[in-house]
Amino acid sequence: MKRILVPTDFSEHAEDALKVAAQIAKKNNSEIIVLHTLELPTQMNDAITGGISIPETMLFMKKANEMLSKITERPYLDGLTITEMVKLDRPAEGIAKVSNEHEIDLIVMGSHGSSGFEELLIGSNTEKVVRHSEIPVLVIKKYTNNFKTTNFVFASDFSKETEKPFKKLIEFTKFFDSKLHLVMICTPNSFKPTHVAQQIMNDFITPFNLKNYSTHIYNDTNIEKGIINFANSVDADLIGMCTHGRTGFAHFFNGSISEDLVNHAVRPVITFKI
């Protein structure tokens, strides 16, 4: 893992994400790029696209660079290679461009709002990044000074379309040195006999030659509760899921994962695009 991108709006949540990114970077000798995207008022856009420098634009840029410099002087970043960037762009678009241009391996973002992912799922910039990013996105709910990934839960229907993102997930379990808990949630609306569900999972994982893993079938009233309750039962450090670009959260288990999962989950979530 060579490069980690941490977008910041200078909030406490963004700094929590940067602190976690620093822990990951120190373990993997990674570079951190800290990005602030500056979306100016509409009346300034014409001036920017026309190549005209105006005092307001220069003032905003100067202030953003000053704030970034203060952040990157934090003691918890000592010893790391840090690159500061300020881009004139909409947040989601700017993050995507920087990710592609600088070959980012992981995006780490903080969640906002008293209910965790509430803002993420109501048209926020984080939701847009999660929905469209080709790069895995790690969303941090709250800061911990010992970010662990020992127990990594991946919930899926283990269909053919999840094979490609699953390969990326395996790479991250190696980076994180995690035990992978693979789980299929069975509900009244997506019921499968145990032997059928187990066969689907076995057929799915056989080509991957996994080492440190376990498989589980968990019954619950709905998928969101099942993932949360299963994650609690194994004391998961991280929950992984796949996403579709066109619909936000993954369409698996014969339906879309509702916002209830991330609204109520208290654990970090990492997403991989299908």
Side-chain angles (χ1 to χ4, degrees):
M1 190 184 302
K2 294 181 179 179
R3 295 183 186 89
I4 300 171
L5 176 63
V6 184
T8 182
D9 57 1
F10 307 116
S11 67
E12 180 182 346
H13 304 285
E15 184 149 9
D16 286 346
L18 183 57
K19 289 176 181 178
V20 170
Q23 294 180 49
I24 297 171
K26 287 177 180 178
K27 290 180 180 179
N28 295 281
N29 195 29
S30 308
E31 173 189 359
I32 293 178
I33 296 176
V34 186
L35 170 68
H36 178 67
T37 51
L38 192 58
E39 185 176 6
L40 298 179
T42 305
Q43 62 267 29
M44 296 186 186
N45 288 343
D46 292 338
I48 295 168
T49 56
I52 301 171
S53 296
I54 57 176
E56 291 88 347
T57 303
M58 302 305 294
L59 179 63
F60 285 132
M61 290 288 290
K62 183 174 183 291
K63 185 63 177 177
N65 278 297
E66 288 174 355
M67 294 175 72
L68 264 188
S69 294
K70 288 181 180 178
I71 288 175
T72 55
E73 291 173 358
R74 300 286 201 264
Y76 60 80
L77 296 173
D78 286 349
L80 293 172
T81 300
I82 308 294
T83 300
E84 306 165 18
M85 290 186 184
V86 177
K87 297 290 185 181
L88 292 170
D89 210 337
R90 294 182 179 89
E93 286 81 350
I95 290 167
K97 289 175 185 175
V98 171
S99 297
N100 292 329
E101 291 169 1
H102 295 271
E103 298 181 339
I104 298 299
D105 298 300
L106 176 66
I107 300 170
V108 183
M109 302 185 74
S111 65
H112 291 251
S114 59
S115 58
F117 273 75
E118 182 177 6
E119 291 187 23
L120 183 152
L121 291 160
I122 308 178
S124 75
N125 291 316
T126 306
E127 189 272 340
K128 292 175 185 176
V129 174
V130 167
R131 179 184 302 170
H132 297 295
S133 177
E134 300 290 339
I135 311 300
V137 181
L138 172 61
V139 185
I140 301 301
K141 304 298 293 284
K142 60 181 180 180
Y143 171 65
T144 172
N145 58 10
N146 183 24
F147 179 70
K148 297 189 304 179
T149 53
T150 304
N151 291 311
F152 189 162
V153 166
F154 178 65
S156 177
D157 63 352
F158 301 96
S159 59
K160 184 75 175 177
E161 67 177 353
T162 61
E163 289 181 359
K164 184 177 178 181
F166 188 70
K167 290 177 183 177
K168 280 190 177 181
L169 181 142
I170 292 172
E171 293 175 11
F172 275 82
T173 62
K174 293 176 182 177
F175 281 125
F176 293 150
D177 193 22
S178 309
K179 178 176 181 179
L180 191 55
H181 300 267
L182 305 172
V183 61
M184 178 182 287
I185 308 297
C186 289
T187 73
N189 292 327
S190 62
F191 175 77
K192 291 180 180 66
T194 298
H195 72 280
V196 172
Q198 191 64 60
Q199 188 62 52
I200 291 171
M201 297 181 74
N202 290 342
D203 291 344
F204 180 89
I205 63 177
T206 296
F208 294 101
N209 193 28
L210 299 177
K211 301 296 183 185
N212 189 17
Y213 76 98
S214 59
T215 60
H216 307 266
I217 299 158
Y218 195 89
N219 301 318
D220 215 318
T221 54
N222 62 55
I223 294 164
E224 294 77 29
K225 287 182 179 179
I227 295 173
I228 291 171
N229 289 333
F230 175 75
N232 290 340
S233 73
V234 298
D235 194 21
D237 301 301
L238 184 62
I239 298 172
M241 65 176 107
C242 297
T243 66
H244 276 288
R246 63 184 181 275
T247 59
F249 287 101
H251 183 279
F252 62 89
F253 302 108
N254 298 321
S256 297
I257 296 181
S258 76
E259 56 263 32
D260 288 345
L261 171 62
V262 286
N263 279 337
H264 299 132
V266 296
R267 304 172 193 276
V269 176
I270 187 168
T271 61
F272 300 83
K273 186 177 178 182
I274 291 175

